[in-house]
């Protein structure tokens, strides 16, 4: 019988080989460990958050953006045509009453948030954040390094979201989003839209900056932001009883009725220009309306008299209005 040669200290070549193999295996496993198993570098988003409306309040709450107001949105002609033919009565149709908002718009809508976590039971590392409180319903942001699915995978209203930390900023990439609208006046986005979001914490304020890119309806990325304040006393209830919505006939309409405007027939889109004294050409939107330089072009346009001032005057001075 042949025995393995021994080294000083009594260790054999066989033992040394086994130790080296174990070490190499440990290095390989360490290198292949997903990023989520490492120490978290950012903050924990979990908690109750109350929405703030110091940005775009009338757009994000009621009454929402007026028909024909496309200012500041980098839309192309196709998106403009879609918005011009859209009718707000569409959401009263049974098939549309309970449709959630897609995530591109949902975070803009009036909503308080409840953010929770899914954690690995062994390591206590965060696998995912769950954002609830929007018209999308619960939305999952995966933090475990998993890849996005195939382009042929199903699209959903919330989409598929993954997050990574860039310093103290959480960057979230979302794909596979169902088509929807950018504003409640019919400006559309397609199911090819991708969205990058950046969550930042400043004291007790949570700020979200989003960048939406759509090769079908947008000529440039659309950048928007909104904020929430930490509120541990907030009583949470899913918005609009999401998940329990039951369609119900709201108006007597003939079977198969689909609210719409044929191209070139929608006169409502001019009301925003008339009411607020904005040149109609400017209300048509487009990338150039996003930038301060557009003010030079506005000075060369005819500015209509805004009717809102006349309405306000008549309401506040009824007797003087009658004398006129």
């Amino acid at each position: 019988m042949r025995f393995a040669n021994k080294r000083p200290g009594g260790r054999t070549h066989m033992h040394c080989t086994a130790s080296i193999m174990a070490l190499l295996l440990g290095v390989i496993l360490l290198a292949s460990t997903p990023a989520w198993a490492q120490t978290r570098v950012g903050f924990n988003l979990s908690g109750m958050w109350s929405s703030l409306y110091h940005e775009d309040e009338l757009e994000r709450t009621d009454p929402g953006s007026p028909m024909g107001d496309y200012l500041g949105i980098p839309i192309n002609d196709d998106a403009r045509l879609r918005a011009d033919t859209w009718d707000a009565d569409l959401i009263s149709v049974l098939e549309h009453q309970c449709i959630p908002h897609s995530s591109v718009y949902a975070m803009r809508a009036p909503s308080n948030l409840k953010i929770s976590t899914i954690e690995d039971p062994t390591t206590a590392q965060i696998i995912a954040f769950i954002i609830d409180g929007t018209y999308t319903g619960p939305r999952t942001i995966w933090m475990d390094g998993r890849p996005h699915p195939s382009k042929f995978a199903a699209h959903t209203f919330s989409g598929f979201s993954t997050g990574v930390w860039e310093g103290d900023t959480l960057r979230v990439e979302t794909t596979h989003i169902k088509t929807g609208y950018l504003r409640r006046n019919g400006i559309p986005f397609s199911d090819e839209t991708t969205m990058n979001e950046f969550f930042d914490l400043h004291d007790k304020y949570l700020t979200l900056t989003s960048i939406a890119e759509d090769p079908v309806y947008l000529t440039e990325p659309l950048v928007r932001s909104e904020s929430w304040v930490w509120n541990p006393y907030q009583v949470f209830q899913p918005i609009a009883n999401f998940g329990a919505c039951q369609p119900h006939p709201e108006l007597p309409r003939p079977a198969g009725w689909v609210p719409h405007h044929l191209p070139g027939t929608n006169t409502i889109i001019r009301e925003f220009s008339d009411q607020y004294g904005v040149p109609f050409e400017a209300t048509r939107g487009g990338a150039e309306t996003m930038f301060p330089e557009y003010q030079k072009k506005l000075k060369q346009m005819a500015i209509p008299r805004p009717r809102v001032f006349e309405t306000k005057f008549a309401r506040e001075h009824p007797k003087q209005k009658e004398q006129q």
Side-chain angles (χ1 to χ4, degrees):
M1 181 179 295
R2 177 179 295 180
F3 293 92
N5 293 329
K6 290 192 175 182
R7 289 177 174 239
R11 299 190 64 185
T12 66
H13 288 301
M14 186 180 298
H15 290 158
C16 291
T17 302
S19 299
I20 293 174
M21 292 299 294
L23 179 61
L24 290 175
L25 180 60
V27 171
I28 293 173
L29 290 175
L30 182 61
S32 62
T33 301
W36 62 267
Q38 300 174 13
T39 303
R40 187 178 67 247
V41 295
F43 58 94
N44 192 329
L45 280 72
S46 61
M48 299 292 190
W49 303 91
S50 295
S51 187
L52 301 175
Y53 297 107
H54 57 281
E55 298 177 277
D56 310 319
E57 178 178 6
L58 295 181
E59 174 187 345
R60 296 172 53 201
T61 59
D62 289 327
S65 297
M67 283 291 295
D69 176 14
Y70 312 149
L71 277 166
I73 307 294
I75 57 176
N76 57 21
D77 290 338
D78 293 336
R80 194 173 291 109
L81 179 61
R82 281 283 306 273
D84 286 350
T85 56
W86 188 77
D87 191 319
D89 279 342
L90 185 65
I91 60 176
S92 68
V93 177
L94 291 178
E95 293 85 346
H96 290 262
Q97 287 181 13
C98 295
I99 292 179
H101 288 153
S102 288
S103 57
V104 176
Y105 177 78
M107 301 296 284
R108 300 277 296 169
S111 57
N112 297 325
L113 302 181
K114 171 189 173 184
I115 304 180
S116 55
T117 61
I118 298 176
E119 299 182 2
D120 183 275
T122 303
T123 65
Q125 297 299 318
I126 294 176
I127 297 175
F129 288 108
I130 308 297
I131 299 179
D132 200 359
T134 73
Y135 280 95
T136 298
R139 178 186 173 199
T140 303
I141 300 175
W142 296 106
M143 301 294 296
D144 57 1
R146 68 183 62 192
H148 283 245
S150 160
K151 65 179 181 179
F152 302 109
H155 286 53
T156 63
F157 290 105
S158 57
F160 187 90
S161 301
T162 56
V164 294
W165 287 105
E166 297 180 348
D168 288 331
T169 297
L170 176 62
R171 179 173 67 83
V172 177
E173 180 183 0
T174 303
T175 59
H176 297 77
I177 312 169
K178 278 183 177 288
T179 184
Y181 49 66
L182 292 170
R183 278 182 173 172
R184 282 181 285 166
N185 57 5
I187 300 177
F189 66 86
S190 76
D191 60 2
E192 295 184 32
T193 298
T194 58
M195 182 170 60
N196 277 281
E197 298 166 287
F198 301 87
F199 288 87
D200 289 287
L201 184 66
H202 305 281
D203 191 24
K204 60 180 180 179
Y205 299 97
L206 180 67
T207 299
L208 171 62
T209 303
S210 64
I211 304 175
E213 299 182 65
D214 182 3
V216 177
Y217 290 125
L218 297 180
T219 61
E220 295 187 21
L222 175 62
V223 182
R224 297 176 293 183
S225 63
E226 45 273 341
S227 298
W228 293 262
V229 61
W230 181 60
N231 180 11
Y233 298 98
Q234 174 179 291
V235 178
F236 177 77
Q237 181 177 1
I239 194 166
N241 293 319
F242 179 83
C245 177
Q246 295 293 328
H248 181 76
E250 297 178 346
L251 299 170
R253 299 292 186 184
W257 173 70
V258 179
H260 69 285
H261 294 277
L262 292 175
T265 65
N266 189 356
T267 59
I268 303 176
I269 59 176
R270 289 188 172 272
E271 291 185 359
F272 174 68
S273 171
D274 296 336
Q275 288 292 326
Y276 293 95
V278 179
F280 181 69
E281 179 185 345
T283 67
R284 307 300 284 162
E288 63 175 344
T289 64
M290 299 168 58
F291 304 107
E293 292 78 11
Y294 190 69
Q295 296 180 33
K296 298 178 182 178
K297 193 171 183 178
L298 284 173
K299 293 179 180 179
Q300 302 173 6
M301 302 178 186
I303 308 297
R305 178 178 175 81
R307 293 183 182 179
V308 289
F309 293 129
E310 297 178 1
T311 304
K312 186 174 185 294
F313 181 85
R315 185 172 63 250
E316 296 178 351
H317 308 279
K319 293 184 179 179
Q320 295 184 37
K321 183 63 177 179
E322 292 176 0
Q323 294 174 357
Q324 295 178 359

